[in-house]
Amino acid sequence: MTRICQSCSMPMDKDAEGGGTEADGTRSGKYCSLCYKDGAFTQPDFTVEEMQDFCIEQLSNKGLPKFMGWIFTRSIPRLERWRNR
Ligand SMILES: [Zn+2]
């Protein structure tokens, strides 16, 4: 099974950099390079709704229809980053 980012649900093998980075420079196995850098979230103030809108926007920029983006982002609230909110 492909691992997905626990913040935005992007498949990790689609991440050009192979994952985010921890503060010590090691690769994060949980978060992609767009969400997580140097041990911190790149958009720390995002709500889950903002993350979904952001992802739909990113996907539509790549030519994906909005309804497909909506389907892809539906699982985001269940990811580890958002579970305790
Ligand atoms: Zn991500």
Side-chain angles (χ1 to χ4, degrees), residues 5 8 32 35:
C5 172
C8 72
C32 74
C35 294

Side-chain angles (χ1 to χ4, degrees), residues 34-54:
L34 297 177
C35 294
Y36 198 69
K37 196 170 189 290
D38 302 328
F41 290 116
T42 53
Q43 299 102 351
D45 300 327
F46 262 22
T47 63
V48 67
E49 288 83 12
E50 285 172 325
M51 179 56 85
Q52 284 173 302
D53 287 346
F54 176 77

Side-chain angles (χ1 to χ4, degrees), residues 1 3-4 7-8 13-14 22 28 32 34-35 38-39 49 51 54 59 75 80 85:
M1 199 182 107
R3 271 193 309 179
I4 58 170
S7 165
C8 72
D13 60 6
K14 293 274 190 294
E22 300 292 350
S28 168
C32 74
L34 297 177
C35 294
D38 302 328
E49 288 83 12
M51 179 56 85
F54 176 77
L59 291 165
S75 61
E80 199 173 309
R85 298 195 174 206

Side-chain angles (χ1 to χ4, degrees), residues 59-80:
L59 291 165
S60 77
N61 286 346
K62 291 180 186 160
L64 203 80
K66 291 252 177 185
F67 76 94
M68 288 294 289
W70 184 81
I71 291 169
F72 277 123
T73 56
R74 283 193 64 201
S75 61
I76 288 179
R78 291 197 299 271
L79 297 173
E80 199 173 309

